[in-house]
Amino acid sequence: MTWESDSTFVESDVIEWTEAIWPQRRRRRKTKPHPVGKQKIIAQITEIDGDFIKLTVLKSEIVENTVAKELHPPKPGSIITKKRATLLRGDPQRLHWSEEDVRKLLITQSGEK
């Protein structure tokens, strides 16, 4: 598998990124919340709607756990929605397509709309 960094997303891209895991929100916040760990996710883009990207999780794993309790990453097959800025924050790596020229054609067609 060849991964490359790219900020242009196309439907059917498979991307990998690392993101912080945040604690569940509580009613009253006395202090600023801190991440409780990090997870690496590999997912396929199924839909792009403006700034929001829908992804189907292919693989996920916890890479860092700073709390005593067990953390649960998203299950493979589950659908998650992320903002483009959130994905870019996690330094996404895109799986290289076997037909890169088809991907380039898709990018130029989506830019014309």
Side-chain angles (χ1 to χ4, degrees), residues 51-66:
D51 242 8
F52 293 94
I53 300 174
K54 259 189 192 171
L55 305 119
T56 301
V57 177
L58 303 175
K59 183 179 177 184
S60 60
E61 65 180 324
I62 303 295
V63 293
E64 183 181 314
N65 186 348
T66 59

Side-chain angles (χ1 to χ4, degrees), residues 65-108:
N65 186 348
T66 59
V67 294
K69 68 179 186 174
E70 185 178 350
L71 300 175
H72 303 283
K75 292 183 181 351
S78 61
I79 296 174
I80 57 176
T81 303
K82 298 283 182 182
K83 283 187 92 170
R84 183 181 302 273
T86 303
L87 288 175
L88 292 175
R89 205 176 301 137
D91 186 31
Q93 303 291 313
R94 181 181 61 81
L95 182 64
H96 189 76
W97 286 27
S98 59
E99 300 287 333
E100 273 300 304
D101 54 336
V102 174
R103 183 178 185 277
K104 288 178 185 174
L105 182 64
L106 287 172
I107 291 172
T108 56

Side-chain angles (χ1 to χ4, degrees), residues 22-29:
W22 295 92
Q24 290 188 357
R25 291 185 176 183
R26 297 188 180 184
R27 293 182 116 182
R28 296 182 186 189
R29 285 191 249 168

Side-chain angles (χ1 to χ4, degrees), residues 38-53:
K38 288 186 179 181
Q39 62 188 358
K40 181 186 278 188
I41 300 176
I42 298 175
Q44 183 173 14
I45 298 174
T46 55
E47 183 181 335
I48 299 174
D49 185 17
D51 242 8
F52 293 94
I53 300 174

